[in-house]
Amino acid sequence: MSFTEAINFFLAACPGPSMAQAGLHVAALQAVKGIPGLDPKGSVTPERGESDAGSYLWSARQIGDRLNSSAEYLTRTAGKHGYSFARALRWIRFLHAMALLAEGCRVETVAYRLGFSDIAGWSRFTKRLVGRSPRQLPKVPLEIWIRKAVDDVFFGVPASREPRDRGTKVRK
């Protein structure tokens, strides 16, 4: 399954409004070298040390500028619909990273392509979002991460809090 097919589950879960939905589409489907379907040149060969940091859209302000809207409007209207626009953007960035890693990109390349100034920034970002460092992340299909993103952004179930089986004890 391609990234564009997989990310549609996340995009379809967005409750609105239409401008915020458009913003998430812009962020999720932007050109990212190394992700099939999003790669501007069609190449999936990772190149060490290559930096696309200036072109990656990761903030509400950048998305607002692209849509001729404001970050405040996107943030406020998403909040009225029950989710954080900024958190949705963080998850999209994380999902791009997981797709790049699945394609064989080196961690340094992932960090720079997604606008981080260094690997430490990528590591801090990951710890804040999912509660684990990049090295501690399980190797699971992208679809699993997308479901976690939907749960966290649109249903308020943080990814760092995994559901636990507490048994089936019946209280009397």
Side-chain angles (χ1 to χ4, degrees):
M1 178 180 291
S2 73
F3 181 84
T4 54
E5 292 170 332
I7 197 68
N8 280 331
F9 181 78
F10 179 82
L11 297 172
C14 179
S18 60
M19 184 64 79
Q21 287 175 327
L24 294 181
H25 276 83
V26 166
L29 301 175
Q30 66 182 296
V32 179
K33 186 174 183 180
I35 300 177
L38 300 182
D39 195 323
K41 297 177 186 171
S43 171
V44 294
T45 306
E47 298 174 22
R48 184 186 169 140
E50 183 175 327
S51 176
D52 294 330
S55 61
Y56 186 80
L57 303 174
W58 57 270
S59 74
R61 183 155 321 283
Q62 293 168 319
I63 300 297
D65 289 347
R66 180 67 60 96
L67 296 173
N68 293 320
S69 182
S70 70
E72 294 77 18
Y73 173 78
L74 294 171
T75 301
R76 185 177 60 252
T77 57
K80 287 180 182 177
H81 283 79
Y83 69 97
S84 165
F85 190 76
R87 189 145 186 96
L89 291 178
R90 285 191 292 272
W91 268 104
I92 288 170
R93 196 176 191 190
F94 178 81
L95 295 171
H96 282 151
M98 294 297 98
L100 286 169
L101 289 170
E103 290 298 323
C105 285
R106 297 172 48 97
V107 174
E108 298 88 4
T109 303
V110 171
Y112 293 123
R113 284 189 185 166
L114 300 182
F116 294 99
S117 58
D118 57 17
I119 297 171
W122 155 245
S123 182
R124 287 188 301 274
F125 171 85
T126 303
K127 284 179 188 175
R128 280 192 304 269
L129 187 64
V130 296
R132 296 179 182 184
S133 72
R135 288 181 184 228
Q136 295 171 325
L137 295 175
K139 304 277 189 232
V140 297
L142 182 63
E143 292 82 9
I144 301 297
W145 288 118
I146 290 173
R147 289 186 184 275
K148 286 187 174 295
V150 168
D151 285 348
D152 184 28
V153 174
F154 304 116
F155 297 115
V157 181
S160 60
R161 294 192 185 162
E162 296 291 328
R164 295 181 214 173
D165 181 25
R166 297 192 179 186
T168 55
K169 291 183 181 180
V170 178
R171 290 188 170 177
K172 294 184 182 181

